[in-house]
Amino acid sequence: MRFKSVMAAACVAMTGSAFAATDTAETSSPATAAIAEPAAAIQPDKLVLMSAQWAKAACDAWNQDPVLTQGLVDSEWVDNDGERGFKVLQIYRKDCKDAPRVEMRIAKRDGKAVCVYGGRVETAELIKKSDYVMFADTTRWQEMGRGEYGPMRAMMFGRLGFEGPKLEAMGNMGPFENFLLLTGKVPGETQECPK
């Protein structure tokens, strides 16, 4: 138990405490009312990694993963939504200069933690205690997507930049790892940056 506390403290210290967003909640938009549409019509070989279309496909892949949809309900992760009705995950490729972030919104629906939106950022103000921002160089996203290292190692060695409720993330390393694996499950072109 002591080791776990020391590791959690180390992870918090190494990843920093800065979080660019505020604690302001925003009203749920119509896009959160239903589960995101499947991305079957999107051509996987045409997607640019972490583009808006890629985020839509990743949202669909999230909903097919029982570790994410059930594990994040069992741990009550999905319930920490700032009373807004959904959690926000914003991600981007750090080496893509001026590349836009993409956003996935996760909400509790029918007893599951489902992705209800994947695409361009729509949430201007994040809630510090419930939302996340993650960023890494493209090669690091690819390595994490192949499962070459998990989230704990990625954060401790500076391969994954992270802002958000760190202790909450530490308690959900299994599902968090499956989230990182989405960058491998959802094919994406890496020779160009998202626009």
Side-chain angles (χ1 to χ4, degrees):
M1 194 65 176
R2 187 172 171 212
F3 175 74
K4 218 181 223 185
S5 299
V6 170
M7 289 302 290
C11 187
V12 170
M14 291 186 75
T15 56
S17 59
F19 194 84
T22 65
D23 280 315
T24 307
E26 76 171 28
T27 310
S28 176
S29 69
T32 63
I35 294 175
E37 295 176 19
I42 296 174
Q43 301 273 338
D45 59 336
K46 303 291 184 189
L47 300 178
V48 174
L49 184 66
M50 296 190 187
S51 63
Q53 286 187 322
W54 181 90
K56 185 176 180 184
C59 187
D60 186 48
W62 174 295
N63 291 335
Q64 305 305 313
D65 188 324
V67 173
L68 293 169
T69 57
Q70 193 58 54
L72 294 172
V73 171
D74 294 344
S75 70
E76 299 181 351
W77 177 90
V78 74
D79 295 320
N80 176 29
D81 61 11
E83 300 181 1
R84 180 179 53 197
F86 59 90
K87 289 175 80 78
V88 175
L89 305 170
Q90 291 182 356
I91 57 176
Y92 64 96
R93 292 162 55 189
K94 190 171 73 170
D95 52 321
C96 284
K97 189 175 180 184
D98 301 325
R101 296 179 182 186
V102 289
E103 176 173 302
M104 296 171 70
R105 293 199 290 267
I106 313 302
K108 193 172 187 178
R109 298 281 190 274
D110 300 321
K112 292 187 175 185
V114 297
C115 183
V116 295
Y117 171 81
R120 293 194 179 281
V121 168
E122 292 186 351
T123 307
E125 294 183 341
L126 301 180
I127 300 174
K128 183 177 179 180
K129 295 179 181 177
S130 61
D131 296 332
Y132 295 78
V133 176
M134 285 169 276
F135 49 94
D137 287 333
T138 301
T139 54
R140 296 304 189 191
W141 281 118
Q142 290 175 303
E143 289 166 358
M144 290 183 283
R146 291 191 296 264
E148 292 179 16
Y149 47 86
M152 172 74 83
R153 188 174 170 205
M155 287 189 289
M156 290 197 69
F157 288 96
R159 294 168 180 163
L160 176 68
F162 179 92
E163 298 170 1
K166 292 171 181 67
L167 292 179
E168 178 183 78
M170 295 281 293
N172 288 278
M173 283 291 123
F176 189 21
E177 182 162 8
N178 274 44
F179 170 70
L180 296 181
L181 289 171
L182 289 181
T183 57
K185 289 181 180 177
V186 181
E189 172 59 52
T190 59
Q191 298 305 309
E192 59 182 288
C193 288
K195 296 174 182 169

